[in-house]
Amino acid sequence: MIEFSKQLPHRGHVDKIYEWCKKKYGRSKYNGRYPDVVFRKGDYYDGEEWGYYDEIEKCIYINRDKHETLQDLIDTIIHEYTHYLQNMYHYQIMAKYLESDQHPMEIEAELMSEKDGPECLRYLESLYKNTDYIMTFHDNENIYSHNNIIADNDNSSSLNN
């Protein structure tokens, strides 16, 4: 049996981690509505990032190609959700003068994922406790999650809003 935190992440995990973040941290006082979450191949955008929060589109993008374990996915979603909670106007100003590893809002997001990642993992373990289901690469699909509605990302399906 594969250690739970080492499982290959899949779209069901994205939704469960996102729900956990919403319950744990709540709504941003700066960025309005909850963001959409997109979990798809890296070739849809530059492909080098693990994830990013787009404050204009109100969307968290997760690069599924970068995430080899469930713990990777947890850390990225918490990190990007932290950016959703932050004042991104201040983020952009500081980003002009600071490298990413010196940016206080990046440091805060990293610390948040390090601090709360284990709690989120325990939460997921408790949800999946009675199942032996582990995803393989063949099960992993493009996914689009729109405010908790998940559908395959085939660009032809309509979402129920």
Side-chain angles (χ1 to χ4, degrees):
M1 180 76 162
I2 296 174
E3 180 184 338
F4 188 76
S5 67
K6 304 290 185 204
Q7 283 190 38
L8 182 66
H10 61 79
R11 66 187 186 188
H13 291 139
V14 171
D15 190 47
K16 301 262 188 288
I17 296 165
Y18 181 57
E19 285 301 313
W20 180 88
C21 286
K22 287 167 60 176
K23 288 177 186 169
K24 173 87 176 166
Y25 308 117
R27 189 180 302 268
S28 172
K29 62 183 178 181
Y30 304 107
N31 294 305
R33 69 170 175 82
Y34 285 111
D36 297 332
V37 175
V38 175
F39 181 62
R40 60 184 177 194
K41 293 191 281 187
D43 61 2
Y44 282 88
Y45 37 95
D46 101 1
E48 292 303 312
E49 296 152 333
W50 288 64
Y52 65 94
Y53 171 64
D54 185 320
E55 71 273 15
I56 304 299
E57 293 183 21
K58 304 286 191 240
C59 188
I60 294 173
Y61 292 94
I62 306 296
N63 181 348
R64 77 169 192 193
D65 296 339
K66 289 286 188 178
H67 297 86
E68 296 180 3
T69 69
L70 183 54
Q71 189 64 61
D72 291 341
L73 183 65
I74 290 168
D75 292 344
T76 298
I77 293 175
I78 292 173
H79 179 108
E80 298 309 327
Y81 197 90
T82 302
H83 288 317
Y84 156 71
L85 296 171
Q86 296 168 332
N87 184 330
M88 296 307 287
Y89 175 73
H90 292 153
Y91 182 98
Q92 299 302 340
I93 292 171
M94 286 187 271
K96 292 178 183 179
Y97 305 102
L98 299 169
E99 295 294 324
S100 181
D101 63 344
Q102 299 297 313
H103 195 300
M105 295 167 92
E106 285 294 337
I107 293 168
E108 178 185 24
E110 281 300 309
L111 291 173
M112 190 81 80
S113 66
E114 288 173 16
K115 178 177 81 72
D116 293 340
E119 180 184 336
C120 183
L121 180 63
R122 287 190 300 275
Y123 167 75
L124 289 178
E125 282 179 311
S126 71
L127 290 178
Y128 291 101
K129 189 175 186 177
N130 297 322
T131 65
D132 291 328
Y133 185 67
I134 296 184
M135 294 295 289
T136 67
F137 282 107
H138 301 292
D139 296 323
N140 204 3
E141 305 173 30
N142 286 344
I143 181 65
Y144 179 73
S145 171
H146 177 75
N147 288 338
N148 308 324
I149 298 171
I150 295 182
D152 290 337
N153 187 16
D154 65 3
N155 295 328
S156 64
S157 62
S158 61
L159 294 174
N160 300 324
N161 287 325

